Amino acid sequence: QVLLVESGGGLVQAGGSLRLSCAASGRTFSAYAMGWFRQAPGKEREYVAAINRSGGNTYYADSVKGRFTISRDNAKNTVYLQMNSLKPEDTAVYYCAGAYSSWARAQEYEYEYWGQGTQVTVSS
């Protein structure tokens, strides 16, 4: 079992920045690829970014490419999502997820563990 707890969400003006953190406990964090997903009101949850277990490879949805950066610190059992140049359309609940895999994953069904989510609201 892996417990994931997100933090760092909040209210920010358009153009601002936030850094989300996801702390993991339980099994060996470094054995898991990690991802960030988000769900806006009335919409399905969507993929945002993913990172492989070593942190050497990262992938992004087109909508956030160039603005968001995913990273991890395996010594701290934590994955991060740095979000810059935020837009109102980035408003959503953001979830981190873990997949027992060497490779980064982009599909929800590939992730076994999920956090409870953290709200990000971007005002215009």
Side-chain angles (χ1 to χ4, degrees), residues 10-18 67 83-88 90-91 120-124:
L11 173 64
V12 64
Q13 288 189 330
S17 298
L18 281 175
R67 300 187 298 122
M83 305 185 295
N84 298 329
S85 302
L86 282 161
K87 305 175 181 180
D90 294 318
T91 295
V120 171
T121 303
V122 184
S123 64
S124 57

Side-chain angles (χ1 to χ4, degrees), residues 29 38 73 86 91 116:
F29 178 69
R38 67 187 181 186
D73 186 337
L86 282 161
T91 295
Q116 83 290 349

Side-chain angles (χ1 to χ4, degrees), residues 79-120:
V79 62
Y80 305 97
L81 185 68
Q82 176 67 43
M83 305 185 295
N84 298 329
S85 302
L86 282 161
K87 305 175 181 180
E89 51 264 44
D90 294 318
T91 295
V93 177
Y94 282 72
Y95 299 89
C96 72
Y100 186 67
S101 170
S102 299
W103 309 106
R105 303 294 181 178
Q107 303 297 324
E108 281 192 56
Y109 71 86
E110 296 176 297
Y111 287 86
E112 298 103 322
Y113 301 104
W114 293 82
Q116 83 290 349
T118 185
Q119 176 70 48
V120 171

Side-chain angles (χ1 to χ4, degrees), residues 32-110:
Y32 289 79
M34 299 298 295
W36 286 95
F37 292 76
R38 67 187 181 186
Q39 187 168 21
K43 295 187 176 181
E44 293 186 351
R45 189 155 58 184
E46 64 176 5
Y47 161 77
V48 174
I51 189 167
N52 69 338
R53 65 182 185 184
S54 71
N57 295 101
T58 57
Y59 304 90
Y60 300 92
D62 288 344
S63 59
V64 306
K65 202 171 293 183
R67 300 187 298 122
F68 290 12
T69 302
I70 187 172
S71 63
R72 66 189 296 161
D73 186 337
N74 286 346
K76 295 183 178 180
N77 289 355
T78 303
V79 62
Y80 305 97
L81 185 68
Q82 176 67 43
M83 305 185 295
N84 298 329
S85 302
L86 282 161
K87 305 175 181 180
E89 51 264 44
D90 294 318
T91 295
V93 177
Y94 282 72
Y95 299 89
C96 72
Y100 186 67
S101 170
S102 299
W103 309 106
R105 303 294 181 178
Q107 303 297 324
E108 281 192 56
Y109 71 86
E110 296 176 297

